[in-house]
Amino acid sequence: MPVLDLGGILLVSIQGELADNAAVDLATDVTTAVSTTGARGVIIDISGLDMVDSFLARVLAEVAASARLLAAQAVLVGMRPSVAITLVELGLTLPGLETSRTVAEAASRFGVEIREDPERRAARGTDRTPT
Amino acid sequence: MSTDERTETTLPVRNDTDLMAVRQQVRAMAQRLGFGLVQQTKLVTAASELARNTLVHGGGGSVSLEPTSDGDGREGLTLRFVDEGPGIPDVELALRDGYSTAGGLGMGLSGSKRLVNDFSVDTAPGRGTTVSITLWSPLAPFGRR
């Protein structure tokens, strides 16, 4: 899973089906990248996920907690509406996780401007996003 | 309705790669049965939670996917998670939000129950565990979907 350095903030786009061990690797990779780059923020884009279960929710919450201990803030972006409905019913509202609507909006929290191409708005997390 | 939709499938649950296959198969069958996107997501999420329980607590087992209908035009999908593990000594306790014996969030079993229409647990110490869930499609207006 690639972790992109956008100059002071990191961008992680989770794509498609994620095996449990891949999720754990992701947590390690992101936390290590926060430490080595000294990033202030970590944007986690989950618009590519059609399902988040309690295992993955816990991994995401742990990434955010580890990032916070390293003085970086994690922001979750692009959750699909069907995933949000399911997570709430499951009882997992992820109170420790900050959310933003788009990657650009999340980046602007950290003073990084990303110009969004109006023709192809990425990472809005619709249920029509292809997997 | 093609015979394909009526076919019962049994999948192994032996490792976390099997969990991915279970999620994919449940999603595919729910789509074929005409479930809406939110319902598909709920069922796939419940399947992921329960299959992980089969793996982590039951030491592995299997899941069967059984399309069903109630005679009133409602289509349903029943999933049966079977293991021959140690069983659950206190089901009521295991169904409590936040109760976990594996260091998880403790929402898997209790949360899955909220995601589906029918939910039952058949277990006893030393006798393994079978969890059955069914999600029904909403009644189709005018007999069509």
Side-chain angles (χ1 to χ4, degrees):
Chain A
M1 200 73 56
V3 180
L4 300 177
D5 188 350
L6 302 181
I9 57 173
L10 301 175
L11 173 62
V12 189
S13 290
I14 304 179
Q15 299 296 335
E17 277 278 316
L18 207 54
D20 289 0
N21 54 9
V24 173
D25 287 350
L26 175 78
T28 310
D29 291 352
V30 172
T31 310
T32 307
V34 168
S35 173
T36 54
T37 63
R40 288 164 290 139
V42 181
I43 303 171
I44 306 170
D45 176 6
I46 60 163
S47 58
L49 290 182
D50 62 12
M51 185 227 55
V52 174
D53 63 9
S54 67
F55 180 85
L56 189 50
R58 180 161 69 119
V59 170
L60 293 172
E62 285 174 353
V63 170
S66 308
R68 193 188 63 80
L69 290 173
L70 298 175
Q73 187 176 38
V75 181
L76 198 63
V77 162
M79 185 181 289
R80 300 183 184 190
S82 54
V83 172
I85 290 168
T86 302
L87 271 180
V88 169
E89 205 153 327
L90 200 56
L92 298 170
T93 53
L94 301 176
L97 267 175
E98 291 292 319
T99 56
S100 280
R101 278 173 295 184
T102 62
V103 171
E105 188 180 295
S108 72
R109 288 177 170 226
F110 305 104
V112 174
E113 199 183 331
I114 299 176
R115 277 184 220 287
E116 261 188 296
D117 184 349
E119 290 297 306
R120 43 181 298 276
R121 279 236 185 85
R124 190 50 90 71
T126 73
D127 280 329
R128 289 172 299 279
T129 308
T131 29
Chain B
M1 179 153 299
S2 75
T3 50
D4 186 37
E5 291 175 32
R6 290 267 139 240
T7 311
E8 179 181 329
T9 312
T10 301
L11 303 168
V13 181
R14 297 281 166 211
N15 52 52
D16 68 346
T17 313
D18 288 344
L19 295 187
M20 292 172 71
V22 168
R23 292 196 288 258
Q24 284 160 4
Q25 291 291 316
V26 170
R27 171 84 65 180
M29 200 176 270
Q31 273 171 353
R32 281 203 299 273
L33 290 169
F35 283 79
L37 195 53
V38 172
Q39 281 204 308
Q40 289 174 28
T41 306
K42 285 182 182 181
L43 192 61
V44 171
T45 306
S48 187
E49 300 292 344
L50 296 172
R52 187 174 286 102
N53 281 353
T54 299
L55 188 61
V56 173
H57 298 287
S62 65
V63 53
S64 63
L65 289 61
E66 305 159 21
T68 178
S69 65
D70 70 351
D72 275 333
R74 276 204 314 177
E75 300 290 336
L77 182 52
T78 297
L79 308 179
R80 216 177 299 282
F81 303 82
V82 183
D83 70 59
E84 287 164 9
I88 305 172
D90 187 340
V91 175
E92 204 178 316
L93 182 62
L95 273 168
R96 199 176 291 169
D97 273 355
Y99 179 80
S100 173
T101 55
L105 295 171
M107 303 304 278
L109 199 60
S110 56
S112 300
K113 189 179 179 188
R114 285 193 291 271
L115 292 176
V116 297
N117 299 121
D118 304 334
F119 181 98
S120 68
V121 182
D122 181 13
T123 186
R127 208 164 53 72
T129 300
T130 297
V131 179
S132 304
I133 60 173
T134 303
L135 191 66
W136 295 98
S137 64
L139 273 177
F142 313 115
R144 62 185 291 272
R145 189 167 286 115

